[in-house]
Amino acid sequence: MIGFRILEIKRRVDESWIGKFRGIPVANISDVMTRMSAGGAALRPMHAAGNLCGPAFTVKTRPGDNLMVHKAIAMAKPGDVIVVDAGGDLTNAIIGELMTSTAQKKGIAGMVINGAIRDVGVIGKGDFPVYAAGVTHRGPYKDGPGEINVPISLGGMVIEPGDLIVGDEDGLLSIPFEQIESVYNAAAAKHQLEEKMMADIANDTLDISWIDQALLRLNCEIVR
């Protein structure tokens, strides 16, 4: 039944790619994806430290209800990232300390909640990656409906089950399964370029001639 169903993941990004992407800032990945994809500025890291990287285990749930999130935690494999579209509603918390502790014990890589969470005093001191849109003390309902492992959208970013989810202090990004290799190659090159630029800044040798070239190309009037 559409709206109340549970599916299995048919594919997951390979573990070898997960290890490679861990060393690249999300901003570099975003740059090579034309800066057109993002999980929404409202989704912020709620944990103390630690980056997020793993295949998406998707959940679409009625705002304020976490029945399917409980089922997702029971189903997900170690290394998965549970990504929940709860409509961005902040009225009721979708997860809290008990559910995050259970997920962490199972080896789940982290959780993304397009909605609210609670128990941030505990979650905020830990290293288990949790991203959410807000906080409330009001707890969830457990009646459904909802769907597991269907395509979802967070802030216009479409996420298919098994796509790669990456997150750091700057936010979240989903990399489509079919584009993993090409995005990695471009992002790694971008990261190396920025590391060289940082070295040039330290040595006071950074080339900024491109600024005047851009102004000239754009016909900017410069009055001296």
Side-chain angles (χ1 to χ4, degrees):
M1 178 189 301
I2 294 177
F4 205 11
R5 58 182 177 168
I6 297 172
L7 307 177
E8 294 286 347
I9 293 182
K10 296 181 180 179
R11 62 186 187 176
R12 283 179 171 86
V13 63
D14 189 80
E15 179 68 32
S16 62
W17 289 115
I18 295 171
K20 292 179 179 179
F21 272 97
R22 285 191 185 280
I24 302 180
V26 171
N28 289 158
I29 303 171
S30 177
D31 284 348
V32 303
M33 293 178 69
T34 68
R35 306 180 177 97
M36 289 292 288
S37 183
L43 290 172
R44 304 307 306 156
M46 298 292 180
H47 54 292
N51 292 349
L52 180 63
C53 193
F57 192 101
T58 64
V59 182
K60 186 175 180 64
T61 187
R62 177 172 67 89
D65 192 286
N66 74 357
L67 175 61
M68 286 303 203
V69 184
H70 279 280
K71 181 60 175 177
I73 293 173
M75 290 177 59
K77 293 184 177 181
D80 284 347
V81 176
I82 295 178
V83 187
V84 182
D85 179 11
D89 183 79
L90 305 181
T91 306
N92 297 82
I94 298 298
I95 64 169
E97 179 184 5
L98 294 177
M99 293 177 74
T100 54
S101 296
T102 302
Q104 186 173 18
K105 180 68 174 179
K106 283 199 61 179
I108 291 168
M111 303 184 75
V112 178
I113 309 295
N114 186 23
I117 67 170
R118 65 179 181 178
D119 301 326
V120 292
V122 174
I123 293 172
K125 295 176 182 176
D127 59 2
F128 180 69
V130 176
Y131 289 76
V135 177
T136 180
H137 56 79
R138 295 177 63 177
Y141 299 99
K142 296 175 173 60
D143 305 306
E147 297 179 297
I148 290 177
N149 288 323
V150 296
I152 61 174
S153 176
L154 306 185
M157 180 175 68
V158 177
I159 303 171
E160 299 269 0
D163 286 351
L164 182 61
I165 302 296
V166 292
D168 60 18
E169 298 86 350
D170 287 337
L172 291 159
L173 192 60
S174 178
I175 305 168
F177 183 90
E178 298 84 357
Q179 299 177 27
I180 290 294
E181 183 172 3
S182 61
V183 170
Y184 172 77
N185 290 336
K190 173 71 172 178
H191 186 46
Q192 291 174 2
L193 175 61
E194 290 201 356
E195 288 186 323
K196 180 183 182 304
M197 292 174 68
M198 287 299 297
D200 289 343
I201 290 171
N203 296 325
D204 199 23
T205 58
L206 183 66
D207 181 8
I208 59 171
S209 61
W210 68 269
I211 300 173
D212 288 337
Q213 293 170 6
L215 293 171
L216 181 64
R217 174 174 54 84
L218 296 169
N219 298 316
C220 176
E221 181 182 3
I222 301 177
V223 180
R224 302 185 184 280

